Amino acid sequence: AIPAGSSVAVRAAASGGWQQVTCAGRNGYVSTMFVTATTDPGGSNPGAGQSGTARVANTSGDGLRCRTAAPSGLVITIIAEGASITTRGASSNGWTPVVCGGRDGFMSSQFLTAGSGTGAPDPNPIPAPGGSGMGNGDRGKVSVRANMRYQASMGAQVMIVVERGEVLQITGNATNGFYPVNYDGLRAFMSVDLLTETSEPLSKRSGGGSGVSVGVGAVLGSLTPRISQPFGQTAFSMGAGSWMYGYAAGLGVPLAHPGIDYSMPYGTRLYIPVSGTVVYAGGTGWFRDSRGDGAGRGELRIRTDNGHEIIFGHMSWIPLLPGQRVVAGELAGLSGSFNGDHLHLEVRVPGNTSSGWQAIDPSRYFAGATSAYRNQLTGV
Ligand SMILES: [Zn+2]
């Protein structure tokens, strides 16, 4: 909430009863019912005032770069020729401090002219969301944990949640406020507001040593999690743990542990091994995380394109929704705990059992993955 009597910087003309403003360093909207125009305290000269409005001019239609620092900071966005911009103070050494893309930035004073002088917003603003100045070949760093979506729309389904600090390849110009991006082989879209240009190296999805591509034969990367309980009849499954595995009989493996337990620290990043569709994303009451249960926690079940089911048990966090399409290599979530920190990985294929499903050894299943799957796992 903005206290009564406060001033906010206006970004563009009001529309539909809402005024675009800059608040708390971000782009936002306030109801026009509760804002009144004030006199521009800095006058209309961007080089003289404390704050005000300036207009981009004489760029031959190219627009003007707004940078994080003068003279060679990263480009936050490009403000179109003729568009107005909010200034933050007096120009210095040929650079004017401004607000662009919801952030503080700097623009060359040479291409800024005085605003309308009334403090009124540009009647024909050209939207310039943060970072929209990037294009094919640039690299964008994710500023907050962010969704990558299948289409350039906030309403599009989420392909994957990307952690803050990851560096993505920008593969084209922004459209509808989204960049097309390539995240180590996964191609999708991300809001321009969530990416800042960087020269850092592109991120690898399973890089950094903190993630495990579960059970995928040679695609475990540098990590080989210890198997704390193998598939099949174990002393535990036939003894102290037998109460847990009553369901195994219906999967054709009576008295057996119907999956593999991989020991790993709580919160280990895990990845989808085979493309398919999410059936469950937590909250089933099965395969719970001992520290909590509910939507986004517990059982992740994927139905593969050829009708198999893969279960990640005891997950502490699942950034997916039932019905969502998933592709090999994307983040499945974070591991959790049940009777110790581990992942329970289970694979079911249609079978002649009481449940209609046959549990099979995940290590054999993934060892026999087809070359098509292997290609998917490399993200190509
Ligand atoms: Zn298990």
Side-chain angles (χ1 to χ4, degrees):
I2 299 168
S6 302
S7 295
V8 291
V10 168
R11 293 189 287 124
S15 169
W18 292 87
Q19 176 65 61
Q20 298 186 49
V21 300
T22 299
C23 54
R26 301 182 48 175
N27 291 344
Y29 295 81
V30 296
S31 169
T32 53
M33 289 173 63
F34 304 105
V35 287
T36 56
T38 61
T39 304
D40 179 358
S44 59
N45 180 352
Q50 289 304 303
S51 66
T53 304
R55 192 180 298 273
V56 175
N58 304 318
T59 65
S60 304
D62 290 343
L64 185 60
R65 284 172 175 74
C66 180
R67 297 179 180 274
T68 55
S72 55
L74 296 172
V75 176
I76 299 169
T77 187
I78 298 176
I79 306 298
E81 171 94 21
S84 65
I85 187 89
T86 299
T87 59
R88 295 183 289 115
S91 63
S92 170
N93 295 324
W95 290 84
T96 301
V98 300
V99 177
C100 63
R103 302 179 43 167
D104 289 351
F106 295 85
M107 296 171 73
S108 171
S109 309
Q110 184 182 348
F111 300 102
L112 291 175
T113 63
S116 64
T118 65
D122 184 347
N124 296 301
I126 299 172
S132 64
M134 288 190 282
N136 187 25
D138 288 335
R139 295 171 186 177
K141 187 171 185 174
V142 179
S143 55
V144 293
R145 177 182 271 184
N147 292 324
M148 239 168 91
R149 297 178 187 274
Y150 286 100
Q151 267 104 39
S153 160
M154 279 297 175
Q157 281 200 330
V158 176
M159 169 187 279
I160 179 175
V161 179
V162 182
E163 300 293 322
R164 182 168 67 92
E166 295 285 272
V167 177
L168 315 184
Q169 181 84 60
I170 308 295
T171 59
N173 294 328
T175 306
N176 195 30
F178 281 77
Y179 283 121
V181 295
N182 183 337
Y183 180 29
D184 192 20
L186 287 181
R187 292 172 178 273
F189 298 85
M190 184 173 284
S191 170
V192 297
D193 290 332
L194 306 176
L195 289 162
T196 312
E197 189 170 8
T198 182
S199 57
E200 292 175 35
L202 295 170
S203 297
K204 296 286 184 189
R205 275 177 285 132
S206 54
S210 59
V212 182
S213 292
V214 288
V216 192
V219 196
L220 284 166
S222 58
L223 292 176
T224 307
R226 184 175 66 84
I227 292 178
S228 53
Q229 187 181 191
F231 177 86
Q233 293 186 343
T234 66
F236 184 70
S237 75
M238 293 186 288
S242 62
W243 63 272
M244 280 190 244
Y245 305 125
Y247 73 96
L251 296 173
V253 286
L255 297 177
H257 177 230
I260 294 179
D261 290 344
Y262 292 100
S263 177
M264 60 185 70
Y266 193 90
T268 296
R269 292 173 71 169
L270 298 168
Y271 297 88
I272 299 290
V274 177
S275 298
T277 305
V278 176
V279 181
Y280 302 125
T284 64
W286 285 84
F287 305 105
R288 299 161 56 102
D289 174 18
S290 59
R291 300 191 200 176
D293 192 44
R297 201 154 192 186
E299 176 183 3
L300 170 62
R301 186 181 300 204
I302 306 296
R303 178 146 322 157
T304 69
D305 292 342
N306 54 1
H308 302 162
E309 290 196 338
I310 297 171
I311 294 168
F312 289 61
H314 319 305
M315 299 288 280
S316 62
W317 181 68
I318 305 168
L320 304 168
L321 293 171
Q324 181 180 335
R325 175 88 188 148
V326 290
V327 296
E330 75 178 83
L331 189 68
L334 303 178
S335 69
S337 178
F338 195 87
N339 194 25
D341 293 349
H342 75 280
L343 167 71
H344 171 93
L345 182 68
E346 188 171 309
V347 177
R348 301 175 181 182
V349 300
N352 185 22
T353 65
S354 61
S355 69
W357 293 96
Q358 172 73 49
I360 61 174
D361 185 339
S363 64
R364 288 173 181 266
Y365 179 82
F366 290 114
T370 66
S371 59
Y373 287 162
R374 290 184 202 283
N375 287 340
Q376 283 180 307
L377 290 164
T378 64
V380 295

